[in-house]
Amino acid sequence: MKNKFITMALASLAFTACTNDDAISLDKELQTNNQNKVVLMAEDDAQQAFAKILSKAVYNDISVREFIKSEAIKQFDNDYDILYAFAKDKEVAPGYTFRDALLNYCKDENELISIEQSLPLLNILVPDLTFISSFKADNWDLSDEEVPVSYDKDHNSGVLFVNGDSITYLEPNEIPDFPILVVKNNERMIASATTRADGTTSYSYEFFDDAFNGSLRNNTRAEYDVTYPEEPTGDSQISEYELASINPAIKQAFIEFPNNTTGKHRDYVYYGMTNANQTNGHLNTNVREILYKFRIAPSQIPFIADQTEDPVLQAISKKGGEYTQEEVRSKIWKEGNFEFLFDVMIGTKSSNVLYNRLAYSATPRELFSINKVHVVRKHSTAFSHSKYTYTVTNVNEAVTSKWIKTNASTNGNYIQIGSWDIYEQSLRVNIALLEKDDSETIVKTHSVSNEFAGNATFSFGADTIVKATLGISGKTTSTTSKSVTITKNSDDLGSLSFYYYDPIIKSRTVQGNMPLYDLYSVNNGAFEVIVLPQNIL
């Protein structure tokens, strides 16, 4: 055992109870032996005898140490006290009470009965020594069986027992800086005796003052919302520098045709047609449409996070203190990614459907910003520490969507949709979105609506397609279908469509010296997408 003491000039040994709270009444009948008359002991002798017995029990039985720690932490009288009358019939193991454990180390049961009758306020204190060391019941290391037990008759005894043996003596002004138990009378309780006709004695208990009643400690719940600053969520704008890296022709298309009537933005990008040159544009075969950005509406979170493997929003709790904003945002999502499947479909004049499945994996923090949480703070009680629990109660109010660039996790390459050849293909590109959940597959049929450039004449020249006139008019429509394989429980977020004649850029602004371009997007309420014609050279 660690034999270390810290000497302090104190008026008396600081093992006595402090002031604390509540009123409780219990009837506990002290046991007697019907064959032998129980002899009462002097208070000092009874405390000493119990200290020896207890020292053997805590030395030899870890379940006793665990029980004492657990009961002390409850602070039933607002100190780390255990009133023996309340604790003796509680189990330290199934079918094995605290009293049973102590009887193993008594001469006979009469010895324990004599102690019980002599000390109706018999108490075990686990002193809080954090004012001189780190020890208190909460951080007691139970692996060390050498726990000294002292007794505190009139605050004068400093004898320490380990496994029933007296090992050393504390002077009145010496305080240990190691785990210790003190046998004493509980000064926060009052015991009222009743002698029955058969000679047995029972006691009822109440607190000396309600201030000592641990069950009256403030245990109300405080509930409130905490709002966090919004994380960067991106927008539909693009810088002039980034736009040039994707395709410099996009900026020039906006300059040439700021109002984009009848599809003139893509006529410029794909065919090089201008106001000055409105006929016979040659198809640029190096242009590919890309899925530039997308975002998911917060309203879809309960829908896409409906499987056990999904990264769902969860309640998180912390005892004794609060989580930081960053901790809440990282812990409130269950681990995992959302797996998205973009089904891109475009009809052809030959009634076929060109189909391309594009997969993208994203973490919930890439997709969403948590901006408000509901906090329930449960104040500390006699049985537990304060506890903070965090939940998101309304995703539409608490969560904001983030735009995701599809080159973020694909080695810098954007997800390609393909070329848009309106000589053979529809003017309409259909994009359906699924959040993939399990491995069982089924077949889903998409209805694909098509529009074709009815009045646009094309020809071949120099191994390329030539568009005869600027703009689109006189469209024809048709409907075809496409069957695709999906997993059975995948969450269908619906579909949306882009048209060849949609604008690419809606407007231009300048922030400082930085020109910014607001890009055209399509939103079906569940998800939103931006596509751009990239030059692949």
Side-chain angles (χ1 to χ4, degrees), residues 242-250 268-270 283-290 413-414 416 418-419 504 532-537:
E242 185 181 0
L243 188 62
S245 70
I246 293 174
N247 191 341
I250 297 174
Y268 182 93
V269 173
Y270 277 94
L283 177 65
N284 182 351
T285 58
N286 294 317
V287 178
R288 301 287 187 275
E289 296 289 330
I290 59 170
N413 298 314
Y414 292 100
Q416 278 199 15
S419 61
I504 303 173
L532 292 177
Q534 182 183 35
N535 193 327
I536 62 174
L537 289 183

mmCIF file of all heavy atoms in Angstrom, residues 242-250 268-270 283-290 413-414 416 418-419 504 532-537:
data_model
loop_
_atom_site.group_PDB
_atom_site.id
_atom_site.type_symbol
_atom_site.label_atom_id
_atom_site.label_comp_id
_atom_site.label_asym_id
_atom_site.label_seq_id
_atom_site.Cartn_x
_atom_site.Cartn_y
_atom_site.Cartn_z
ATOM 1 N N GLU A 242 -12.410 29.926 -62.720
ATOM 2 C CA GLU A 242 -12.851 28.529 -62.784
ATOM 3 C C GLU A 242 -13.661 28.284 -64.053
ATOM 4 O O GLU A 242 -13.545 27.222 -64.679
ATOM 5 C CB GLU A 242 -13.679 28.170 -61.557
ATOM 6 C CG GLU A 242 -14.062 26.697 -61.513
ATOM 7 C CD GLU A 242 -14.907 26.331 -60.311
ATOM 8 O OE1 GLU A 242 -15.211 27.228 -59.488
ATOM 9 O OE2 GLU A 242 -15.279 25.148 -60.192
ATOM 10 N N LEU A 243 -14.478 29.244 -64.437
ATOM 11 C CA LEU A 243 -15.272 29.094 -65.650
ATOM 12 C C LEU A 243 -14.367 28.908 -66.865
ATOM 13 O O LEU A 243 -14.628 28.052 -67.730
ATOM 14 C CB LEU A 243 -16.159 30.321 -65.834
ATOM 15 C CG LEU A 243 -17.201 30.260 -66.954
ATOM 16 C CD1 LEU A 243 -18.197 29.144 -66.698
ATOM 17 C CD2 LEU A 243 -17.918 31.602 -67.080
ATOM 18 N N ALA A 244 -13.285 29.679 -66.907
ATOM 19 C CA ALA A 244 -12.346 29.563 -68.025
ATOM 20 C C ALA A 244 -11.668 28.197 -68.033
ATOM 21 O O ALA A 244 -11.364 27.645 -69.110
ATOM 22 C CB ALA A 244 -11.306 30.675 -67.949
ATOM 23 N N SER A 245 -11.423 27.622 -66.837
ATOM 24 C CA SER A 245 -10.769 26.305 -66.781
ATOM 25 C C SER A 245 -11.695 25.196 -67.258
ATOM 26 O O SER A 245 -11.234 24.152 -67.728
ATOM 27 C CB SER A 245 -10.299 26.009 -65.351
ATOM 28 O OG SER A 245 -11.407 25.774 -64.489
ATOM 29 N N ILE A 246 -13.009 25.402 -67.152
ATOM 30 C CA ILE A 246 -13.970 24.399 -67.634
ATOM 31 C C ILE A 246 -14.201 24.568 -69.129
ATOM 32 O O ILE A 246 -14.124 23.604 -69.901
ATOM 33 C CB ILE A 246 -15.293 24.512 -66.856
ATOM 34 C CG1 ILE A 246 -15.065 24.095 -65.389
ATOM 35 C CG2 ILE A 246 -16.382 23.650 -67.496
ATOM 36 C CD1 ILE A 246 -16.262 24.311 -64.489
ATOM 37 N N ASN A 247 -14.489 25.787 -69.526
ATOM 38 C CA ASN A 247 -14.674 26.050 -70.960
ATOM 39 C C ASN A 247 -14.780 27.557 -71.164
ATOM 40 O O ASN A 247 -15.789 28.171 -70.800
ATOM 41 C CB ASN A 247 -15.941 25.359 -71.475
ATOM 42 C CG ASN A 247 -16.035 25.363 -72.989
ATOM 43 O OD1 ASN A 247 -15.371 26.144 -73.667
ATOM 44 N ND2 ASN A 247 -16.886 24.496 -73.526
ATOM 45 N N PRO A 248 -13.768 28.197 -71.732
ATOM 46 C CA PRO A 248 -13.824 29.659 -71.933
ATOM 47 C C PRO A 248 -14.943 30.079 -72.873
ATOM 48 O O PRO A 248 -15.379 31.239 -72.843
ATOM 49 C CB PRO A 248 -12.441 29.986 -72.521
ATOM 50 C CG PRO A 248 -11.914 28.699 -73.056
ATOM 51 C CD PRO A 248 -12.499 27.617 -72.203
ATOM 52 N N ALA A 249 -15.470 29.140 -73.674
ATOM 53 C CA ALA A 249 -16.541 29.490 -74.609
ATOM 54 C C ALA A 249 -17.837 29.824 -73.878
ATOM 55 O O ALA A 249 -18.704 30.519 -74.430
ATOM 56 C CB ALA A 249 -16.773 28.344 -75.601
ATOM 57 N N ILE A 250 -17.989 29.351 -72.623
ATOM 58 C CA ILE A 250 -19.223 29.635 -71.871
ATOM 59 C C ILE A 250 -19.338 31.130 -71.596
ATOM 60 O O ILE A 250 -20.399 31.736 -71.777
ATOM 61 C CB ILE A 250 -19.251 28.833 -70.564
ATOM 62 C CG1 ILE A 250 -19.263 27.339 -70.840
ATOM 63 C CG2 ILE A 250 -20.461 29.222 -69.724
ATOM 64 C CD1 ILE A 250 -19.153 26.478 -69.582
ATOM 65 N N TYR A 268 -23.495 28.656 -79.472
ATOM 66 C CA TYR A 268 -22.146 29.233 -79.517
ATOM 67 C C TYR A 268 -21.112 28.197 -79.072
ATOM 68 O O TYR A 268 -20.084 28.014 -79.719
ATOM 69 C CB TYR A 268 -22.055 30.477 -78.620
ATOM 70 C CG TYR A 268 -20.695 31.133 -78.659
ATOM 71 C CD1 TYR A 268 -20.436 32.169 -79.562
ATOM 72 C CD2 TYR A 268 -19.653 30.715 -77.823
ATOM 73 C CE1 TYR A 268 -19.183 32.764 -79.625
ATOM 74 C CE2 TYR A 268 -18.403 31.295 -77.882
ATOM 75 C CZ TYR A 268 -18.165 32.325 -78.788
ATOM 76 O OH TYR A 268 -16.909 32.897 -78.858
ATOM 77 N N VAL A 269 -21.390 27.495 -77.913
ATOM 78 C CA VAL A 269 -20.423 26.548 -77.342
ATOM 79 C C VAL A 269 -20.224 25.351 -78.255
ATOM 80 O O VAL A 269 -19.086 24.913 -78.496
ATOM 81 C CB VAL A 269 -20.885 26.098 -75.946
ATOM 82 C CG1 VAL A 269 -19.977 24.993 -75.417
ATOM 83 C CG2 VAL A 269 -20.901 27.272 -74.977
ATOM 84 N N TYR A 270 -21.303 24.789 -78.792
ATOM 85 C CA TYR A 270 -21.202 23.560 -79.586
ATOM 86 C C TYR A 270 -20.883 23.823 -81.068
ATOM 87 O O TYR A 270 -20.187 23.034 -81.711
ATOM 88 C CB TYR A 270 -22.504 22.760 -79.494
ATOM 89 C CG TYR A 270 -22.600 21.898 -78.256
ATOM 90 C CD1 TYR A 270 -23.222 22.374 -77.111
ATOM 91 C CD2 TYR A 270 -22.065 20.613 -78.240
ATOM 92 C CE1 TYR A 270 -23.318 21.594 -75.969
ATOM 93 C CE2 TYR A 270 -22.154 19.820 -77.097
ATOM 94 C CZ TYR A 270 -22.779 20.313 -75.960
ATOM 95 O OH TYR A 270 -22.852 19.522 -74.836
ATOM 96 N N LEU A 283 -20.106 21.435 -85.548
ATOM 97 C CA LEU A 283 -20.145 20.834 -84.215
ATOM 98 C C LEU A 283 -18.731 20.643 -83.652
ATOM 99 O O LEU A 283 -17.858 20.056 -84.319
ATOM 100 C CB LEU A 283 -20.855 19.482 -84.262
ATOM 101 C CG LEU A 283 -20.914 18.706 -82.944
ATOM 102 C CD1 LEU A 283 -21.755 19.457 -81.907
ATOM 103 C CD2 LEU A 283 -21.465 17.295 -83.171
ATOM 104 N N ASN A 284 -18.524 21.137 -82.447
ATOM 105 C CA ASN A 284 -17.260 20.921 -81.726
ATOM 106 C C ASN A 284 -17.377 19.587 -80.982
ATOM 107 O O ASN A 284 -18.080 19.486 -79.979
ATOM 108 C CB ASN A 284 -17.007 22.072 -80.754
ATOM 109 C CG ASN A 284 -15.672 21.926 -80.015
ATOM 110 O OD1 ASN A 284 -15.009 20.892 -80.094
ATOM 111 N ND2 ASN A 284 -15.284 22.982 -79.312
ATOM 112 N N THR A 285 -16.707 18.561 -81.455
ATOM 113 C CA THR A 285 -16.826 17.220 -80.865
ATOM 114 C C THR A 285 -16.033 17.060 -79.572
ATOM 115 O O THR A 285 -16.045 15.983 -78.963
ATOM 116 C CB THR A 285 -16.364 16.161 -81.878
ATOM 117 O OG1 THR A 285 -15.002 16.447 -82.264
ATOM 118 C CG2 THR A 285 -17.260 16.145 -83.108
ATOM 119 N N ASN A 286 -15.383 18.110 -79.136
ATOM 120 C CA ASN A 286 -14.616 18.052 -77.877
ATOM 121 C C ASN A 286 -15.407 18.565 -76.672
ATOM 122 O O ASN A 286 -14.867 18.675 -75.575
ATOM 123 C CB ASN A 286 -13.322 18.866 -77.999
ATOM 124 C CG ASN A 286 -12.366 18.272 -79.006
ATOM 125 O OD1 ASN A 286 -12.183 17.056 -79.050
ATOM 126 N ND2 ASN A 286 -11.770 19.134 -79.841
ATOM 127 N N VAL A 287 -16.673 18.852 -76.842
ATOM 128 C CA VAL A 287 -17.501 19.370 -75.750
ATOM 129 C C VAL A 287 -18.301 18.218 -75.142
ATOM 130 O O VAL A 287 -18.908 17.411 -75.856
ATOM 131 C CB VAL A 287 -18.448 20.481 -76.245
ATOM 132 C CG1 VAL A 287 -19.338 20.969 -75.101
ATOM 133 C CG2 VAL A 287 -17.639 21.648 -76.817
ATOM 134 N N ARG A 288 -18.287 18.141 -73.821
ATOM 135 C CA ARG A 288 -19.053 17.148 -73.077
ATOM 136 C C ARG A 288 -19.801 17.861 -71.943
ATOM 137 O O ARG A 288 -19.219 18.672 -71.209
ATOM 138 C CB ARG A 288 -18.155 16.066 -72.459
ATOM 139 C CG ARG A 288 -17.308 15.285 -73.446
ATOM 140 C CD ARG A 288 -18.167 14.310 -74.247
ATOM 141 N NE ARG A 288 -17.328 13.460 -75.068
ATOM 142 C CZ ARG A 288 -16.862 13.783 -76.283
ATOM 143 N NH1 ARG A 288 -17.158 14.974 -76.796
ATOM 144 N NH2 ARG A 288 -16.108 12.944 -76.962
ATOM 145 N N GLU A 289 -21.076 17.513 -71.769
ATOM 146 C CA GLU A 289 -21.806 18.026 -70.620
ATOM 147 C C GLU A 289 -21.309 17.328 -69.349
ATOM 148 O O GLU A 289 -21.065 16.116 -69.340
ATOM 149 C CB GLU A 289 -23.313 17.786 -70.775
ATOM 150 C CG GLU A 289 -23.951 18.532 -71.933
ATOM 151 C CD GLU A 289 -24.049 20.040 -71.716
ATOM 152 O OE1 GLU A 289 -24.164 20.458 -70.542
ATOM 153 O OE2 GLU A 289 -24.018 20.786 -72.721
ATOM 154 N N ILE A 290 -21.147 18.102 -68.306
ATOM 155 C CA ILE A 290 -20.724 17.538 -67.019
ATOM 156 C C ILE A 290 -21.765 17.870 -65.949
ATOM 157 O O ILE A 290 -22.459 18.886 -66.028
ATOM 158 C CB ILE A 290 -19.347 18.083 -66.568
ATOM 159 C CG1 ILE A 290 -19.383 19.607 -66.421
ATOM 160 C CG2 ILE A 290 -18.238 17.611 -67.491
ATOM 161 C CD1 ILE A 290 -18.146 20.197 -65.750
ATOM 162 N N ASN A 413 -11.704 15.271 -61.472
ATOM 163 C CA ASN A 413 -12.474 15.167 -62.713
ATOM 164 C C ASN A 413 -13.969 15.247 -62.409
ATOM 165 O O ASN A 413 -14.463 14.562 -61.524
ATOM 166 C CB ASN A 413 -12.171 13.848 -63.430
ATOM 167 C CG ASN A 413 -10.715 13.746 -63.824
ATOM 168 O OD1 ASN A 413 -10.145 14.684 -64.363
ATOM 169 N ND2 ASN A 413 -10.115 12.597 -63.547
ATOM 170 N N TYR A 414 -14.667 16.062 -63.175
ATOM 171 C CA TYR A 414 -16.112 16.158 -63.005
ATOM 172 C C TYR A 414 -16.796 14.924 -63.592
ATOM 173 O O TYR A 414 -16.271 14.254 -64.480
ATOM 174 C CB TYR A 414 -16.655 17.414 -63.690
ATOM 175 C CG TYR A 414 -16.215 18.699 -63.030
ATOM 176 C CD1 TYR A 414 -15.168 19.449 -63.541
ATOM 177 C CD2 TYR A 414 -16.864 19.157 -61.886
ATOM 178 C CE1 TYR A 414 -14.765 20.627 -62.935
ATOM 179 C CE2 TYR A 414 -16.472 20.339 -61.270
ATOM 180 C CZ TYR A 414 -15.422 21.063 -61.802
ATOM 181 O OH TYR A 414 -15.018 22.216 -61.181
ATOM 182 N N GLN A 416 -18.957 13.107 -65.992
ATOM 183 C CA GLN A 416 -19.368 13.423 -67.354
ATOM 184 C C GLN A 416 -20.722 12.814 -67.689
ATOM 185 O O GLN A 416 -20.985 11.643 -67.415
ATOM 186 C CB GLN A 416 -18.342 12.914 -68.366
ATOM 187 C CG GLN A 416 -17.160 13.827 -68.544
ATOM 188 C CD GLN A 416 -16.409 13.547 -69.835
ATOM 189 O OE1 GLN A 416 -16.900 12.862 -70.727
ATOM 190 N NE2 GLN A 416 -15.201 14.079 -69.935
ATOM 191 N N GLY A 418 -21.974 13.369 -71.010
ATOM 192 C CA GLY A 418 -21.752 12.978 -72.405
ATOM 193 C C GLY A 418 -21.960 14.154 -73.336
ATOM 194 O O GLY A 418 -22.371 15.246 -72.936
ATOM 195 N N SER A 419 -21.699 13.910 -74.617
ATOM 196 C CA SER A 419 -21.894 14.973 -75.607
ATOM 197 C C SER A 419 -23.381 15.157 -75.876
ATOM 198 O O SER A 419 -24.191 14.255 -75.648
ATOM 199 C CB SER A 419 -21.159 14.619 -76.901
ATOM 200 O OG SER A 419 -21.683 13.411 -77.434
ATOM 201 N N ILE A 504 -27.001 28.910 -69.888
ATOM 202 C CA ILE A 504 -25.892 28.367 -69.094
ATOM 203 C C ILE A 504 -25.578 29.345 -67.973
ATOM 204 O O ILE A 504 -25.463 28.952 -66.815
ATOM 205 C CB ILE A 504 -24.645 28.117 -69.969
ATOM 206 C CG1 ILE A 504 -24.980 27.186 -71.121
ATOM 207 C CG2 ILE A 504 -23.504 27.552 -69.120
ATOM 208 C CD1 ILE A 504 -23.848 27.029 -72.122
ATOM 209 N N LEU A 532 -22.850 21.792 -67.023
ATOM 210 C CA LEU A 532 -22.070 22.718 -67.839
ATOM 211 C C LEU A 532 -21.453 21.967 -69.014
ATOM 212 O O LEU A 532 -21.068 20.797 -68.871
ATOM 213 C CB LEU A 532 -20.940 23.358 -67.020
ATOM 214 C CG LEU A 532 -21.325 24.326 -65.904
ATOM 215 C CD1 LEU A 532 -20.082 24.794 -65.162
ATOM 216 C CD2 LEU A 532 -22.087 25.526 -66.463
ATOM 217 N N PRO A 533 -21.304 22.655 -70.159
ATOM 218 C CA PRO A 533 -20.616 22.040 -71.304
ATOM 219 C C PRO A 533 -19.098 22.262 -71.190
ATOM 220 O O PRO A 533 -18.597 23.365 -71.415
ATOM 221 C CB PRO A 533 -21.219 22.769 -72.513
ATOM 222 C CG PRO A 533 -21.608 24.116 -71.979
ATOM 223 C CD PRO A 533 -21.933 23.942 -70.526
ATOM 224 N N GLN A 534 -18.382 21.223 -70.847
ATOM 225 C CA GLN A 534 -16.932 21.332 -70.646
ATOM 226 C C GLN A 534 -16.188 21.007 -71.932
ATOM 227 O O GLN A 534 -16.576 20.107 -72.678
ATOM 228 C CB GLN A 534 -16.487 20.355 -69.548
ATOM 229 C CG GLN A 534 -14.998 20.416 -69.221
ATOM 230 C CD GLN A 534 -14.592 19.382 -68.174
ATOM 231 O OE1 GLN A 534 -15.137 18.279 -68.146
ATOM 232 N NE2 GLN A 534 -13.662 19.741 -67.305
ATOM 233 N N ASN A 535 -15.115 21.734 -72.148
ATOM 234 C CA ASN A 535 -14.204 21.407 -73.255
ATOM 235 C C ASN A 535 -13.188 20.404 -72.732
ATOM 236 O O ASN A 535 -12.437 20.699 -71.803
ATOM 237 C CB ASN A 535 -13.499 22.675 -73.755
ATOM 238 C CG ASN A 535 -12.810 22.447 -75.088
ATOM 239 O OD1 ASN A 535 -12.328 21.351 -75.371
ATOM 240 N ND2 ASN A 535 -12.759 23.481 -75.918
ATOM 241 N N ILE A 536 -13.159 19.205 -73.287
ATOM 242 C CA ILE A 536 -12.325 18.143 -72.723
ATOM 243 C C ILE A 536 -10.884 18.219 -73.171
ATOM 244 O O ILE A 536 -10.042 17.438 -72.709
ATOM 245 C CB ILE A 536 -12.901 16.754 -73.066
ATOM 246 C CG1 ILE A 536 -12.922 16.545 -74.581
ATOM 247 C CG2 ILE A 536 -14.282 16.582 -72.446
ATOM 248 C CD1 ILE A 536 -13.331 15.142 -74.978
ATOM 249 N N LEU A 537 -10.533 19.122 -74.073
ATOM 250 C CA LEU A 537 -9.135 19.275 -74.485
ATOM 251 C C LEU A 537 -8.425 20.294 -73.605
ATOM 252 O O LEU A 537 -9.030 21.244 -73.145
ATOM 253 C CB LEU A 537 -9.055 19.707 -75.946
ATOM 254 C CG LEU A 537 -9.432 18.635 -76.967
ATOM 255 C CD1 LEU A 537 -9.225 19.174 -78.377
ATOM 256 C CD2 LEU A 537 -8.615 17.369 -76.765
#
